[in-house]
Amino acid sequence: MKTVLIGNGNLAWSLAQALHQAKEIELLLILGREEKKLEDFKQWAPISTDWNDLPEADLYFLAVSDRSIASLSQKASGDGLWVHCSGSTAMDQLASSVRRGVFYPLQTFTKGREVNFKAIPIGLEAEKETDYQVLEQLAHQISSKVFRMNSEQRQKMHLAAVWANNFSNHMIAVAEDIADKAEIPKEVLYPLIEETIAKAQTLGAHSAQTGPARRDDQQTLNRHLELLEDPTLKQLYTQLSQSIKKNYSSEE
Amino acid sequence: MKTVLIGNGNLAWSLAQALHQAKEIELLLILGREEKKLEDFKQWAPISTDWNDLPEADLYFLAVSDRSIASLSQKASGDGLWVHCSGSTAMDQLASSVRRGVFYPLQTFTKGREVNFKAIPIGLEAEKETDYQVLEQLAHQISSKVFRMNSEQRQKMHLAAVWANNFSNHMIAVAEDIADKAEIPKEVLYPLIEETIAKAQTLGAHSAQTGPARRDDQQTLNRHLELLEDPTLKQLYTQLSQSIKKNYSSEE
């Protein structure tokens, strides 16, 4: 299956590697805006910054920022299937002049950081069922966890991913800052963080919840609020605790 | 070194196991309130519900709930060193009639769930330096990560642990609920969650931060707020995003 990758960011970097490694996929070209960034992609396929170089292919990946999807897809042409890779963008943002679909890998990507694409869940959508079959066949070459997701489900999964990744990372960032100010190395928190997600996966996060808010320990909650100096964090601590309490108040 | 463990909860369960396994530690007795729960502790040492059974020992662990520490320590006697295991309780909550200290393992414990105590950071404090030496020697038998922490540092680390464990777990719980409502199995989120903490540990959570709030993508933030129906979660989403934005606004 002949493919073209458009984009030179974090996702494009990981996807290029996965496409390159898949035996039955040929990566014809990587097209990007930034010549310098594209240099890092040479190892996997020919590179170009010129849309006129776009070859005929079975599948075109638009691995670009959400805001560029609609405008770039206006340049789409040919008989190939065009897919974007965004969680929060509806399929119909792609130009209607081409066959269209979505290939959404539910993961956080960083250029230079290898990920095991086989383990990454991929949410697929296509306008036509025959295109879905093509897309599914390709996705199975890259990942063993392929799901059908319509645009609404995908947007909800993107929202879920913001909680699971962005917000939980922020919680860790706040924890690291507190450790830092207490002159304790932040690494002290790592075994706890690892056990947190191990427990969440074994028991489900709902059952794994513990802590002063969960047991409604007002004394500890008050003392913690005193320890927090930053007003944004104070407010956030209160709100997070209330949200936890609310989840469990009806049970007891 | 002769030890006694007081408590029959989650921490006591894990600690009893660790004390039992440590070669140079003898666990003379496990004292608890609840006969039925104590049954599970028999495998590691004699059990009792009667304070009169308390033997002479070098070290007594009060592995009980925060609110019970002060009152139970009033029953303390003898020449041994008494330590509590609480992150949020000052050392001077222990009765002043005995030698006192703190043994705080920074981890979340669940009865029945084995943890590798060797990898758990332990924060130590003692009123007298000679007692600190005793405590440190013992702690090294159980864990390879032993730290000196005064009461203020320990309370801050407990606060950090609430962010790293309780609050990040709540983020995962919310994500799981959203997946559930979208009729997508929550396991789809697990590779993302694992990569989140792997990245936080490699890069530090501050550098690892991504997402719509980090890049100030108001369009996605608004769409996510529309998708969230629960007013508590809407408010929390806004607050979390503001807190992330605030962390990075000065940098760009």
Side-chain angles (χ1 to χ4, degrees):
Chain A
M1 202 176 294
K2 291 177 169 39
T3 62
V4 165
L5 176 62
I6 297 157
N8 53 26
N10 293 321
L11 164 61
W13 192 89
S14 297
L15 189 53
Q17 191 176 23
L19 291 170
H20 171 74
Q21 284 167 357
K23 278 181 195 155
E24 294 174 42
I25 297 174
E26 199 181 341
L27 182 52
L28 300 179
L29 185 76
I30 301 165
L31 187 80
R33 264 189 320 176
E34 295 155 277
E35 221 160 322
K36 213 173 157 188
K37 283 193 177 177
L38 269 177
E39 286 296 312
D40 300 329
F41 290 74
K42 264 201 216 162
Q43 51 185 316
W44 299 305
I47 55 170
S48 169
T49 56
D50 185 355
W51 275 80
N52 295 319
D53 289 342
L54 218 64
E56 270 300 316
D58 299 304
L59 205 101
Y60 298 83
F61 289 95
L62 265 178
V64 298
S65 69
D66 292 2
R67 78 194 75 177
S68 310
I69 290 171
S71 61
L72 280 181
S73 88
Q74 294 301 326
K75 301 188 187 182
S77 61
D79 299 324
L81 174 61
W82 286 70
V83 298
H84 74 62
C85 306
S86 161
S88 59
T89 307
M91 181 170 61
D92 62 16
Q93 293 290 301
L94 293 167
S96 58
S97 56
V98 288
R99 290 158 57 206
R100 48 192 184 172
V102 180
F103 175 97
Y104 171 49
L106 200 89
Q107 187 50 285
T108 167
F109 296 97
T110 311
K111 205 170 160 178
R113 190 175 160 85
E114 285 210 30
V115 289
N116 174 16
F117 233 98
K118 280 278 166 222
I120 297 176
I122 317 247
L124 299 183
E125 186 180 5
E127 204 165 17
K128 292 182 188 136
E129 187 56 30
T130 48
D131 287 341
Y132 183 84
Q133 301 302 330
V134 171
L135 194 54
E136 193 181 43
Q137 201 188 332
L138 177 128
H140 276 303
Q141 298 284 321
I142 300 177
S143 164
S144 57
K145 294 181 179 175
V146 175
F147 292 81
R148 193 188 283 263
M149 274 185 206
N150 61 35
S151 286
E152 199 193 326
Q153 283 178 311
R154 194 174 57 253
Q155 285 183 31
K156 285 183 181 166
M157 285 315 288
H158 182 249
L159 172 61
V162 164
W163 291 85
N165 169 261
N166 304 159
F167 290 165
S168 69
N169 181 73
H170 184 53
M171 301 298 95
I172 297 171
V174 173
E176 287 182 357
D177 284 349
I178 295 168
D180 200 45
K181 279 186 191 144
E183 296 179 347
I184 303 282
K186 65 176 191 289
E187 287 75 14
V188 165
L189 292 163
Y190 291 174
L192 176 66
I193 293 167
E194 280 167 24
E195 178 68 1
T196 301
I197 69 145
K199 259 169 94 164
Q201 293 188 11
T202 312
L203 310 171
H206 194 83
S207 306
Q209 189 67 56
T210 58
R214 170 75 178 86
R215 62 176 185 269
D216 203 3
D217 173 355
Q218 201 56 49
Q219 206 185 331
T220 302
L221 294 173
N222 290 340
R223 203 164 29 216
H224 282 174
L225 284 174
E226 282 167 30
L227 286 173
L228 287 165
E229 284 157 22
D230 181 298
T232 306
L233 292 184
K234 258 187 215 289
Q235 208 180 350
L236 193 51
Y237 184 98
T238 303
Q239 207 102 42
L240 286 161
S241 298
Q242 277 169 359
S243 180
I244 292 173
K245 279 189 211 172
K246 193 183 157 193
N247 267 8
Y248 297 92
S249 60
S250 54
E251 288 180 5
E252 277 147 60
Chain B
M1 202 176 293
K2 291 178 170 38
T3 61
V4 166
L5 177 62
I6 297 158
N8 54 27
N10 293 321
L11 164 61
W13 191 90
S14 297
L15 189 53
Q17 192 176 23
L19 291 170
H20 170 75
Q21 284 167 356
K23 278 182 194 155
E24 293 174 40
I25 297 174
E26 200 183 339
L27 183 53
L28 299 179
L29 185 75
I30 300 166
L31 186 80
R33 265 188 320 176
E34 295 155 277
E35 222 160 320
K36 213 172 158 187
K37 282 193 179 176
L38 270 176
E39 286 296 312
D40 300 328
F41 291 74
K42 264 201 216 162
Q43 50 185 317
W44 300 306
I47 55 170
S48 169
T49 56
D50 185 354
W51 275 79
N52 294 319
D53 289 343
L54 217 64
E56 270 299 317
D58 300 303
L59 205 103
Y60 298 82
F61 290 94
L62 265 177
V64 298
S65 69
D66 292 2
R67 77 194 76 176
S68 309
I69 290 171
S71 62
L72 280 181
S73 87
Q74 295 300 326
K75 300 189 186 183
S77 60
D79 299 326
L81 175 60
W82 285 71
V83 298
H84 75 61
C85 305
S86 161
S88 59
T89 307
M91 183 171 61
D92 62 15
Q93 293 289 301
L94 293 167
S96 59
S97 56
V98 289
R99 291 158 56 207
R100 48 192 184 173
V102 179
F103 175 97
Y104 171 49
L106 201 89
Q107 188 49 287
T108 168
F109 296 98
T110 311
K111 205 171 160 177
R113 189 174 161 84
E114 284 210 30
V115 289
N116 173 16
F117 232 98
K118 280 279 166 221
I120 297 176
I122 316 249
L124 299 183
E125 186 180 6
E127 204 165 15
K128 294 183 189 135
E129 187 56 28
T130 48
D131 287 341
Y132 183 85
Q133 300 303 329
V134 172
L135 193 55
E136 194 181 44
Q137 200 188 332
L138 177 129
H140 277 303
Q141 297 284 321
I142 301 177
S143 164
S144 56
K145 293 182 180 174
V146 176
F147 293 82
R148 193 189 281 262
M149 274 185 205
N150 61 35
S151 286
E152 200 194 326
Q153 284 179 310
R154 194 173 57 254
Q155 285 184 29
K156 285 182 181 167
M157 286 314 289
H158 182 249
L159 172 62
V162 164
W163 291 86
N165 169 261
N166 305 159
F167 290 166
S168 68
N169 181 74
H170 184 53
M171 302 298 94
I172 298 171
V174 174
E176 287 181 357
D177 284 350
I178 294 169
D180 200 46
K181 280 186 192 144
E183 297 180 345
I184 303 280
K186 65 176 191 289
E187 287 75 15
V188 164
L189 293 163
Y190 291 173
L192 176 67
I193 294 167
E194 280 168 24
E195 177 69 1
T196 301
I197 69 144
K199 259 169 92 164
Q201 293 188 12
T202 311
L203 310 172
H206 194 82
S207 306
Q209 189 68 54
T210 58
R214 170 73 178 89
R215 62 177 185 269
D216 204 2
D217 173 356
Q218 201 55 50
Q219 206 186 332
T220 302
L221 294 173
N222 290 340
R223 202 162 30 213
H224 282 173
L225 285 173
E226 282 167 29
L227 286 173
L228 287 166
E229 284 157 23
D230 181 297
T232 306
L233 292 185
K234 258 187 215 289
Q235 209 180 347
L236 193 50
Y237 184 98
T238 303
Q239 208 100 43
L240 286 160
S241 298
Q242 276 169 1
S243 180
I244 292 173
K245 278 189 212 173
K246 193 184 156 191
N247 267 8
Y248 297 92
S249 61
S250 54
E251 289 179 5
E252 279 147 61

